Amino acid sequence: MASQDAEAEDAAAQRNQKLQELLAACALHDRQAFHQLYEMTSAKLYGVILRILVQGEWAEDCLQEAYVKVWNRAESYRPHLASPMTWMATIARNQALDLLRRRHREVRITAADNLPEEVDRHLLPQDKLQQTDEGRRLNRCLEQLQSAQRQIIALAYFKGLTHEELAARTATPLGTVKTWIRRGLKQLRRCLEA
Amino acid sequence: MNSEHDTSEQSTLAGEYVLGTLQGDARDRFEDDLASDDALQQEVAAWERHLSPMLESVEPVAPPTRVWKAVEARIEARPSQRAGLWNSLAFWRNLSMVAATLALGLGLTLLGLLQAPGELERIMVVTNHQSQTGCIVDTRSRDSMLHVSAVQPTPLPASKVCQLWLVTEDGVLLPIGILPHQGSEKMKLPAALGNDSRFKVSIESALAAPVERPSEEIVFEGQLISI
């Protein structure tokens, strides 16, 4: 088991290295490298966008925009600030959240997201969060929050909801939502950096 | 005490920004500050990193092939090279990163260099596209050559090479040689070194190099420092 973990970590480190090289080549306008980067990462980024937008058609436009940004910004990627995957997934998420803000939030709600008890299972699948060191740490720290706090943070992260919308969605007073988020973030930060 | 409180306040604000709950005027104000505040940029990057496992936990979904076609069409429409890229020294150079890599890559290479014959006199770190140590240029007491050792050179298309130049006092660029992609090379100096001689690196076509005058823009400049 331990050697399997070590192998998985090796593979992840190699993949990371490869993605860094591809991004570097993209910064030098190497289209072939960009295609390879797309092949290696687009399913993940599409998954991220679909989680936020739900609707396929807009998600395709959004994925397209996200990759055009990756290409245009490859030169500003800083390996000491984020892994290539984190950097690209963040671009995809921001692209999707921007679209939500522009389209007046018509596309946000799915039936599963509407039920608080589904939020944990749907937005924060434990088994998936347990796959990397960072994921395990985040999961452990999220577990230390109250479940309502955790759900509000996950809803905000994936759905770009405002304080007011979070309050309405979870039938919680606005002041409580604001306090939960601030306290939740402070608690998370302490736990993540402990 | 006060500044500690401010720091934690800034961190929480950065957290709300990344989470998405900082909106409207407050978000605009935050973005204004962010543009010029390194510490705040680091906070935002830290939160993005901390929260990103939520994104990585998402199930991958293969997108339809038409998306790649659309992306490809849009990047094809751009000019193949933007002049700004080569001029952007920040892209090649980030001194804090150089300091960090000094401990690693450079340390190992120095170990090798120190065992090499001839005492090291002066040294210059040429950073790569990711602001890490790309190669090391040094002079030694034993000879009057430049010693150039590759560490992690910038990956270039096969058709391109990096050429090293000596800048004279009148600002004229004298060709020295092509930076090696691996191993070390000795290069003859085209003129005597001054106390603060400067060097530049340009990207050249592999077919034509070494050239007599730089044909493309300069991607690095720096000078030797005494050690």
Side-chain angles (χ1 to χ4, degrees):
Chain A
M1 189 61 198
S3 81
Q4 266 179 12
D5 283 354
E7 269 174 40
E9 266 170 40
D10 268 4
Q14 271 177 24
R15 186 182 149 84
N16 210 37
Q17 178 67 33
K18 178 73 190 166
L19 291 177
Q20 283 195 9
E21 286 167 16
L22 289 174
L23 269 178
C26 288
L28 297 168
H29 302 269
D30 179 340
R31 290 201 175 82
Q32 248 177 338
F34 185 54
H35 192 193
Q36 208 182 339
L37 183 78
Y38 181 91
E39 293 292 316
M40 285 176 74
T41 56
S42 56
K44 194 51 141 184
L45 262 54
Y46 195 46
V48 165
I49 289 169
L50 282 175
R51 172 63 50 84
I52 295 169
L53 289 182
V54 181
Q55 288 195 1
E57 195 184 325
W58 290 351
E60 285 180 32
D61 284 350
C62 198
L63 185 66
Q64 181 188 328
E65 290 301 328
Y67 273 97
V68 170
K69 282 201 170 127
V70 167
W71 171 255
N72 287 335
R73 295 183 187 171
E75 70 200 77
S76 67
Y77 168 66
R78 293 285 177 271
H80 61 292
L81 287 181
S83 75
M85 212 52 231
T86 297
W87 186 73
M88 285 190 285
T90 302
I91 288 179
R93 172 179 175 255
N94 287 340
Q95 190 65 41
L97 290 180
D98 277 355
L99 189 81
L100 280 188
R101 289 184 187 120
R102 279 206 312 277
R103 305 243 173 160
H104 306 290
R105 309 167 180 281
E106 313 151 42
V107 278
R108 180 173 306 128
I109 315 300
T110 63
D113 293 337
N114 263 334
L115 303 166
E117 63 272 24
E118 289 289 322
V119 169
D120 272 341
R121 206 179 325 157
H122 181 63
L123 292 183
L124 296 171
Q126 284 237 341
D127 50 331
K128 297 285 177 195
L129 264 178
Q130 300 279 8
Q131 285 174 354
T132 60
D133 283 350
E134 292 76 18
R136 279 187 285 274
R137 192 185 317 133
L138 179 64
N139 194 46
R140 183 169 47 77
C141 293
L142 282 169
E143 297 258 283
Q144 291 176 8
L145 304 180
Q146 295 171 30
S147 77
Q149 236 176 336
R150 185 166 61 238
Q151 285 160 11
I152 278 184
I153 285 178
L155 270 177
Y157 189 70
F158 281 115
K159 299 296 164 183
L161 297 176
T162 61
H163 289 132
E164 289 76 10
E165 290 165 324
L166 287 166
R169 278 282 288 283
T170 58
T172 311
L174 181 59
T176 310
V177 166
K178 288 185 177 173
T179 312
W180 274 354
I181 289 179
R182 291 179 60 78
R183 279 204 203 132
L185 286 172
K186 280 182 204 284
Q187 219 177 315
L188 265 185
R189 187 70 191 244
R190 269 198 306 275
C191 172
L192 287 165
E193 292 186 348
Chain B
M1 197 58 209
N2 202 11
S3 82
E4 205 172 285
H5 172 79
D6 286 352
T7 314
S8 131
E9 195 51 37
Q10 290 287 69
S11 163
T12 307
L13 215 54
E16 290 230 35
Y17 175 74
V18 172
L19 200 59
T21 48
L22 190 67
Q23 297 196 354
D25 291 347
R27 191 177 185 86
D28 293 343
R29 274 199 307 276
F30 183 87
E31 283 182 341
D32 284 346
D33 291 345
L34 188 61
S36 59
D37 186 336
D38 277 356
L40 209 52
Q41 286 170 18
Q42 301 266 1
E43 284 292 340
V44 166
W47 274 111
E48 281 173 348
R49 203 166 52 234
H50 285 322
L51 296 177
S52 68
M54 287 203 264
L55 298 180
E56 283 165 39
S57 73
V58 169
E59 208 59 59
V61 182
T65 48
R66 58 178 171 267
V67 178
W68 168 250
K69 296 250 182 306
V71 172
E72 203 181 18
R74 288 185 57 191
I75 64 163
E76 220 97 56
R78 301 176 60 231
S80 67
Q81 242 176 43
R82 280 183 304 155
L85 174 66
W86 304 109
N87 265 336
S88 158
L89 279 183
F91 169 59
W92 298 83
R93 222 174 6 179
N94 175 327
L95 289 177
S96 64
M97 259 321 276
V98 174
T101 48
L102 277 175
L104 285 166
L106 180 54
L108 290 174
T109 311
L110 267 182
L111 208 64
L113 291 178
L114 288 172
Q115 286 162 357
E119 209 173 306
L120 277 180
E121 287 183 325
R122 294 201 277 171
I123 185 166
M124 173 174 78
V125 175
V126 178
T127 49
N128 67 13
H129 62 294
Q130 290 180 329
S131 310
Q132 295 155 339
T133 308
C135 68
I136 292 173
V137 177
D138 65 81
T139 62
R140 299 173 194 185
S141 55
R142 201 182 51 140
D143 56 31
S144 55
M145 308 280 277
L146 272 187
H147 298 248
V148 185
S149 316
V151 182
Q152 285 179 281
T154 301
L156 288 173
S159 58
K160 300 281 178 189
V161 292
C162 282
Q163 183 166 341
L164 182 66
W165 304 82
L166 177 66
V167 187
T168 66
E169 275 177 27
D170 326 327
V172 177
L173 268 60
L174 302 175
I176 301 176
I178 306 300
L179 294 182
H181 225 74
Q182 50 188 353
S184 336
E185 277 179 29
K186 281 198 263 187
M187 293 178 191
K188 217 184 267 178
L189 277 161
L193 281 181
N195 276 338
D196 45 10
S197 293
R198 297 192 68 77
F199 294 84
K200 294 191 178 188
V201 173
S202 69
I203 306 272
E204 303 296 338
S205 151
L207 285 176
V211 291
E212 290 303 308
R213 324 197 108 209
S215 58
E216 297 202 37
E217 285 157 89
I218 304 300
V219 293
F220 173 87
E221 53 179 301
Q223 62 191 110
L224 292 162
I225 46 167
S226 301
I227 56 168

